[in-house]
């Protein structure tokens, strides 16, 4: 039994400037341009099942890298269909629909008689299908195609792709399981599990939930399936060629998931798996899965999370290393990992409406996720570093474009994260102007929010219920809003006294037009890291509201790496309508030791004398949208 | 014309505790144990010219590495003979002499009819001799054998090895040069040049000086010899397999030496070459060489020198990288590089008696060099890092044992660096109790110094000239001795007024028994690095007199990496007779952020509160002589 449910994003109309702009950019620029990239880069050609494949034509920085058809391209096609489906749910578009339909026709044509559908294997080595779940992404691809099929069906009512995928799932169900003659396999890259839960929620078919549960339950069982399939195909199980870390941890398959309490390995695989575990915990009322999720959540958020809500410090395994190892300039922080964390956080929040989950969901959304997409909606970060000497640049595309369409599908559906609906209660998790048509126990309730959030912490919520009868409204009070105030129809509300687990909780017989005015003060603040994070010692990160800030070279005359911020220097907010359509910058008196008149000596007995300068910081997610230059989140204090 | 000359080390008897102990350790433990290592490791077996060679038997940390006969082993044999020769000049030892004689007999037996002598080529591929000067160390080996031959001849009067080497040099002279039929080659690893100058100074034969000058003058000429010899042997000149940096800079052969003004490449090669250039500048009165030396000196000491007098930050090329790139934990700082810098500094000092050269010679000697030898005289550092997490340990031996015998030959002859003799003047460059029998313009002058230097800066110098007549005594006033005082026979001397280029200069008709009391105050001091050295920003190094200090874990209860030293904390000297036979430690109130009661949070808005602790520092050269642990030279300031 699920405590709270997410809200379909189509029921939330985003009217506030922040999300309206991001959403519009994604709908009008990102989704269409991504189709062009799929075409230009040769990914759509993989639908033609040519062998040998055409060379990869990626307009990437540094020139083409000689890649051809990649085993994960089905997933990119699926993810784009999903993003396009979300776009179509915002507004129908015959041209976009025709593009999806053409792809769907090709996928249908490609599907084998027994239901199998995988462009790589069908194009190149069909005799090897299902021989390498560990490395070859077949189930991962199926999961993303399934999510695309669901989204497109929900947008258009067209079932063709969903039918294709359901046939494929029947094939998968026959192939994998604990019955006689079945392979006891599970995905090397988790994803299909959460997609199956989505399908179950759409169709109500128990078999889809069972298949998801099978994959989760089987994972990490002994004897180890990845070893068995390696031996079966004549490989040395120890030769983990796709595994930088050369071990089961890479794919979180080192032990059964219920025994896992340490976040390890590839960050995106981990977060997709935890999301599915939380889904199954809710659907199956499985306390052991829920407990594992809580342990893993506590672990990652107290030892392995960047202040931006980024995850996975290391490029070598695209994932986790050791506790408190959070290097800034070499941070990997794949956009997909933050997005997958947002998925997981939402599921944890709906299992247990605790503001802590919403707080970190919001952190990852506004910072580690949004930084992955440029202001113009057509350039990307795959890696979201927290410090750069100026060499870290956005890409027009990527040989592995997973992050590009992950960010578009998230932004296109972001309204779904604003609210949760539970028994007798509506929870507002995220703020920003919107109007939402919600349903609570069969009753229609309209919530209208007027706010410039996150530019300002002032939020006006008006409630418009159909009919009468009491229900509870929960309004999240962020941790940083230490002196939050609220009025109900002009009368003060005792915020501290009425806040439960991070939510201001008001139960009453709401009347059409009731208004709550919420004031969430967001003075600029300094964040410090646990001293165990050695790379952040003697440094501070600046933040305002949910936004983490960074110093970018273009706003600063002193080289970023030379900046020193005195502990007591006041951070001054400045509304800059000229910048990115309106943004609050933080400015402060700072120092630099680089301008000391040191002379040619290499060493001397007098310390350098810092010279005064000014530091200007912008929201982290906006960096790398102007002239290239250095950037730093953690500023050294003096 | 040389301004000043070094003094033969046998004329300086070291009586002060510091050098007497190091010298005695080297004579009684290091030199004998090194013979055993040469035997045990198979190096002496290379004299038997076996093919295939026996496997290398090195008792190294981490086990044998499968090396066999190395192309540079002749140099190790030569360097040990040199160290043994110096030991024998301190006191004859029939057993040691017999060991050298046996090696000399083998070398004589091995020498080919045409004079060629190289154990690798003769043992394995004689047909390839002189085909790869760039990588194969033939001339480098010859240089070290020559230095050994000179030292052994000076110690014993036995000429056999010197004869062998002179025959070899005649062969080399025939082979290389600008005449018809000669190869225009020069060493890939410089060394023979300074050895040839030594031989010239011993025998007065101009042809030896000319050969040194040829090698120096030819270096970097176009067309490039290393390319020509590569093509001649059928190799691709671009495939610089021994050159991590893949370019001529590695061996300082990128342009003629007189055009070089930037210190680049392999640090030991560089310093040996600069030493030879300074030698030739003196012997040939060559201002262009002297000017190049001065430019290179200025470059390295203002942009690429560690505070310990270490050189070469990078393991990949055993050498230099970019200006101000002086990482501490990955510092390479090969012991040989500091030793070679001491050689160069002495030559620069004798070209131009400026205390600056003596200052840095002393710095490298007491710190970057001495750190390479353990207290017991039988363990070594090849790399002298300035920071370690505890994993950097001394070696009982090394697959490339160049540093081991370099440090023994330097310590065995260190008395030679104390004085310089010039026209009408004796200069005291280094302090420490000693009695020196010097000759100035044919006149014998005895100098007796009583001092515990560098434990204390109090120095009593008594002068005992034969006969009468004025001469000048120059006593170096170190830069750090800011309030130096002096008395002559009890009467104050105006130190600032009488100090020229870093030397207190007193000219008088010295009378037997004249006494100068010098007080060189050595309060503990903090050293700061130019802010361009990014890794040392916000850090300070501690020093007292010529000794740089470090914090070693064994003396500190707080983890070294967590120490914070307040800018104004007083550094307290403590004489510790119990430690290393008497050493001054520095102790100070410090802080640590690691003991803050932070709790499990990863981030928070309150900064960590430093807790008080104590920091104890010992002289850097003494670290890693007790239980293994972390070490840091540059301490973070708070």
């Amino acid at each position: 039994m699920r405590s709270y449910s997410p809200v379909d994003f189509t029921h939330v109309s985003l009217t506030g400037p922040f999300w309206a702009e991001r959403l519009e950019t994604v709908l009008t620029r990102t989704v269409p341009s991504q189709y062009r990239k799929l075409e230009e880069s040769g990914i759509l050609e993989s639908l033609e099942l040519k062998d040998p494949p055409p060379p990869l034509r990626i307009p990437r920085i540094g020139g083409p890298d000689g890649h051809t058809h990649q085993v994960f391209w089905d997933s990119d096609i699926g993810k784009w269909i999903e993003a396009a489906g979300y776009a179509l749910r915002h507004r129908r578009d015959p041209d976009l629909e025709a593009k999806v339909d053409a792809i769907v026709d090709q996928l249908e044509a490609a599907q084998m008689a027994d239901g199998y559908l995988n462009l790589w294997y069908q194009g190149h080595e069909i005799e090897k299908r299902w021989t390498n779940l560990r490395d070859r992404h077949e189930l991962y691809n199926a999961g993303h195609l399934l999510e695309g099929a669901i989204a497109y069906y929900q947008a258009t009512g067209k079932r063709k792709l969903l039918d294709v995928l359901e046939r494929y799932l029947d094939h998968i169900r026959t192939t994998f399981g604990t019955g006689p003659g079945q392979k006891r396999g599970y995905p090397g890259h988790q994803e299909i599990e959460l997609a199956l839960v989505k399908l179950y929620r759409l169709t109500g078919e128990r078999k889809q939930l069972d298949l998801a549960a099978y994959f989760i339950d089987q994972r990490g069982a002994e004897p180890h399936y990845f070893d068995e399939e390696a031996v079966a195909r004549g490989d040395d199980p120890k030769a983990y060629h796709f595994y930088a870390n050369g071990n089961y941890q890479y794919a979180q398959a080192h032990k059964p998931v219920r025994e896992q309490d340490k976040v390890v390995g590839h960050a995106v695989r981990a977060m997709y798996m935890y999301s599915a575990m939380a889904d199954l915990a809710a659907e199956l009322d499985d306390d052991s899965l829920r407990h594992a999720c809580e342990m893993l959540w506590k672990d990652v958020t107290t030892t392995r999370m960047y202040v931006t809500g980024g995850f996975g410090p290391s490029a070598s395994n695209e994932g986790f290393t050791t506790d408190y190892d959070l290097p800034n300039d070499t941070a990997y922080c794949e956009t997909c990992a933050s997005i997958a964390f947002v998925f997981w956080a939402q599921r944890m929040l709906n299992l247990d409406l605790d503001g802590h989950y919403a707080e970190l969901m919001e952190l990852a959304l506004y910072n580690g996720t949004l930084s992955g997409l440029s202001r113009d909606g057509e350039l990307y970060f795959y890696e979201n570093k927290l410090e750069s000497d100026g060499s870290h640049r956005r890409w027009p595309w990527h040989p592995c474009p997973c992050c590009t369409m992950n960010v578009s599908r998230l932004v296109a559906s972001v309204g779904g994260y604003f609210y949760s609906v539970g028994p007798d209660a509506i929870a507002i998790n995220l703020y920003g102007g919107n109007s939402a048509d919600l349903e609570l126990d069969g009753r229609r309730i309209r919530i209208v929010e007027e706010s410039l959030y996150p530019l300002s912490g002032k939020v006006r919520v008006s409630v418009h219920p159909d009919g009468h009868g009491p229900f509870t409204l929960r309004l999240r009070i962020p941790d940083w809003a230490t002196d939050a105030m609220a009025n109900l129809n002009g009368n003060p509300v005792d915020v501290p006294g009425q806040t439960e687990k991070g939510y201001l909780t008001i139960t009453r017989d709401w009347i059409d037009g009731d208004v709550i005015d919420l004031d969430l003060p967001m003075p600029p603040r300094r964040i410090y890291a646990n001293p165990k994070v050695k790379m952040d010692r003697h440094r501070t990160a600046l933040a305002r509201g949910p936004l983490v800030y960074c110093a970018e070279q273009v706003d600063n005359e002193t080289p970023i790496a030379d900046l020193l911020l005195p502990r007591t220097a006041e951070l001054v907010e400045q509304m800059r309508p000229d910048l990115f359509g309106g943004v609050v910058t933080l400015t402060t008196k700072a120092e630099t030791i680089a301008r000391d008149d040191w002379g040619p000596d290499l060493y001397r007995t007098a310390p350098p004398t810092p010279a005064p300068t000014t530091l200007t910081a912008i929201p982290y997610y906006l960096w790398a949208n102007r002239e290239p230059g250095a950037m730093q989140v953690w500023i050294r204090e003096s």
Side-chain angles (χ1 to χ4, degrees), chain A:
Chain A
M1 191 215 67
R2 200 161 61 243
S3 305
Y4 279 78
S5 300
V7 167
D8 190 296
F9 71 87
T10 58
H11 298 164
V12 181
S13 171
L14 299 172
T15 56
F18 188 94
W19 285 109
E21 185 281 327
R22 285 289 77 189
L23 179 62
E24 199 59 22
T25 299
V26 163
L27 297 183
T28 58
R29 299 187 59 118
T30 311
V31 171
S33 70
Q34 287 175 341
Y35 181 83
R36 291 195 297 275
K37 296 291 186 193
L38 289 175
E39 252 190 334
E40 288 167 14
S41 62
I43 292 179
L44 291 184
E45 266 183 60
S46 65
L47 289 159
E48 297 167 20
L49 303 182
K50 285 181 196 160
D51 191 17
L56 181 61
R57 299 184 305 269
I58 288 183
R60 57 173 285 196
I61 294 167
D65 64 358
H67 284 164
T68 56
H69 190 172
Q70 297 292 297
V71 294
F72 47 74
W73 277 0
D74 308 32
S75 75
D76 297 315
I77 293 170
K79 229 184 291 184
W80 182 77
I81 293 174
E82 185 184 349
Y86 296 163
L88 291 167
R89 293 189 74 190
H90 284 282
R91 45 191 180 235
R92 296 295 284 267
D93 174 341
D95 180 54
L96 182 59
E97 227 168 294
K99 286 185 169 71
V100 179
D101 287 339
I103 295 173
V104 170
D105 286 346
Q106 284 183 289
L107 286 168
E108 184 188 41
Q111 184 166 38
M112 291 172 67
D114 66 0
Y116 184 80
L117 176 60
N118 180 283
L119 301 175
W120 170 265
Y121 278 103
Q122 291 179 252
H124 310 295
E125 44 180 8
I126 187 61
E127 72 286 1
K128 294 188 181 170
R129 69 179 188 173
W130 300 135
T131 60
N132 189 349
L133 295 189
R134 191 188 71 191
D135 307 322
R136 292 302 186 87
H137 291 70
E138 277 160 297
L139 292 171
Y140 169 81
N141 286 340
H144 274 303
L145 284 171
L146 175 56
E147 287 197 276
I150 294 169
Y152 194 60
Y153 165 71
Q154 290 179 314
T156 62
K158 295 180 185 173
R159 281 202 57 99
K160 189 186 282 185
L161 185 56
L162 196 57
D163 290 340
V164 166
L165 265 295
E166 287 183 339
R167 282 195 297 274
Y168 189 12
L169 288 172
D170 287 339
H171 168 80
I172 291 170
R173 204 176 346 264
T174 307
T175 307
F176 298 99
T178 55
Q182 286 183 301
K183 294 173 187 281
R184 302 196 171 210
Y186 46 85
H189 193 317
Q190 305 92 311
E191 209 284 330
I192 194 172
E193 302 90 337
L194 69 87
L196 284 163
V197 176
K198 272 193 186 178
L199 181 58
Y200 163 71
R201 289 177 182 163
L202 179 74
T203 66
E205 288 182 298
R206 177 77 191 196
K207 64 179 181 180
Q208 313 298 6
L209 193 65
D210 289 344
L211 184 57
Y214 159 75
F215 284 136
I216 288 293
D217 293 344
Q218 188 61 28
R219 197 167 199 88
E222 295 289 348
H224 207 290
Y225 182 77
F226 292 166
D227 289 349
E228 291 189 324
E229 65 166 7
V231 170
R233 67 176 183 262
D235 276 4
D236 175 5
K238 305 288 179 211
Y240 278 47
H241 62 292
F242 275 166
Y243 285 41
N245 278 7
N247 56 37
Y248 306 131
Q249 275 86 351
Y250 178 70
Q252 299 80 37
H254 52 302
K255 49 182 164 180
V257 302
R258 286 172 182 79
E259 296 170 24
Q260 296 188 24
D261 55 9
K262 193 81 217 157
V263 167
V264 297
H266 187 275
V268 180
R269 291 170 201 233
M271 297 293 168
Y272 282 163
M273 181 177 86
Y274 307 151
S275 299
M277 287 165 64
D279 273 340
L280 290 168
E283 295 298 342
L284 302 171
D285 203 7
D286 184 330
D287 276 347
S288 61
L289 277 179
R290 178 179 168 148
H291 178 71
C293 282
E294 287 169 348
M295 297 295 285
L296 291 161
W297 177 276
K298 185 176 172 188
D299 177 60
V300 74
T301 59
T302 58
T303 64
R304 300 183 171 203
M305 181 183 75
Y306 281 92
V307 73
T308 50
F311 298 89
S314 169
S316 73
N317 67 341
E318 299 196 310
F320 297 100
T321 54
T322 55
D323 284 356
Y324 308 108
D325 180 37
L326 298 165
N328 294 303
D329 54 347
T330 60
Y332 198 70
C333 289
E334 185 178 337
T335 308
C336 285
S338 283
I339 290 171
F341 176 82
V342 170
F343 297 163
W344 183 30
Q346 184 190 36
R347 286 157 174 79
M348 295 303 287
L349 177 65
N350 286 332
L351 274 175
D352 172 15
L353 196 84
D354 187 319
H356 171 66
Y357 295 116
E359 185 94 13
L360 297 187
M361 177 177 84
E362 184 180 46
L363 176 78
L365 178 62
Y366 275 101
N367 302 286
T369 292
L370 277 190
S371 60
L373 181 65
S374 67
R375 183 73 183 161
D376 70 5
E378 297 194 23
L379 294 170
Y380 306 92
F381 276 141
Y382 189 101
E383 302 171 37
N384 295 277
K385 299 182 182 305
L386 280 76
E387 180 174 330
S388 169
D389 60 5
S391 59
H392 188 50
R393 308 281 174 86
R394 293 187 182 276
W395 296 65
W397 198 240
H398 200 279
C400 173
C402 54
C403 300
T404 61
M405 286 158 306
N406 227 343
V407 71
S408 49
R409 69 173 176 150
L410 176 64
V411 172
S413 60
V414 73
Y417 296 82
F418 276 58
Y419 296 89
S420 291
V421 176
D424 301 325
I426 290 170
I428 306 182
N429 307 314
L430 300 179
Y431 296 103
N434 69 82
S435 85
D437 289 300
L438 308 177
E439 191 179 306
L440 181 65
D441 305 324
R443 185 174 161 202
R444 289 174 59 90
I445 294 163
R446 184 176 176 83
I447 307 273
V448 177
E449 179 191 324
E450 294 163 77
S451 173
L452 298 176
Y453 189 95
L455 278 178
S456 147
K458 295 201 190 301
V459 174
R460 165 165 290 192
V461 174
S462 54
V463 185
H464 308 279
D466 273 5
H468 294 279
F471 66 93
T472 302
L473 205 57
R474 297 189 201 272
L475 301 101
R476 187 168 69 90
I477 307 296
D479 283 354
W480 45 259
T482 42
D483 294 311
M485 290 187 298
N487 282 295
L488 173 58
N489 298 327
N491 302 311
V493 176
D494 173 15
V495 174
Q498 286 186 234
T499 297
E500 298 169 5
K501 292 167 81 172
Y503 282 82
L504 173 61
T505 302
I506 307 175
T507 305
R508 63 187 248 120
D509 194 350
W510 295 92
I511 295 166
D512 187 47
D514 276 351
V515 170
I516 302 158
D517 280 305
L518 200 58
D519 183 5
L520 304 171
M522 41 173 76
R525 66 187 187 279
R526 295 185 188 216
I527 299 173
Y528 297 91
N530 190 315
K532 291 175 182 160
V533 186
K534 294 193 176 175
M535 36 299 263
D536 296 338
R537 285 180 175 185
H538 315 292
R539 292 175 182 266
T540 187
L542 309 182
R544 179 178 177 276
L547 299 178
V548 174
Y549 277 63
C550 69
E552 193 177 11
Q553 194 59 65
V554 63
D555 300 305
N556 290 276
E557 60 175 29
T558 301
I560 293 297
D562 298 338
L563 283 169
L564 292 174
L565 181 52
R567 172 70 54 89
T568 55
E570 187 191 4
L571 303 169
V572 180
E573 303 176 27
Q574 201 175 353
M575 179 64 207
R576 288 280 301 277
D578 56 311
L579 211 55
F580 303 118
V583 67
V584 174
T585 62
L586 302 182
T587 300
T588 175
K589 287 180 183 166
E591 297 175 331
T592 170
I593 56 168
R595 262 191 254 141
D596 178 88
D597 183 20
W598 182 284
D601 286 348
L602 192 48
Y603 304 106
R604 72 180 193 195
T605 54
T609 313
T613 186
T614 299
L615 183 161
T616 297
I618 61 162
Y620 170 72
Y621 82 92
L622 282 170
W623 93 275
N625 281 297
R626 292 169 292 170
E627 63 179 79
M631 182 281 297
Q632 217 166 283
V633 168
W634 288 99
I635 312 287
R636 187 176 291 276
E637 280 197 337
S638 62

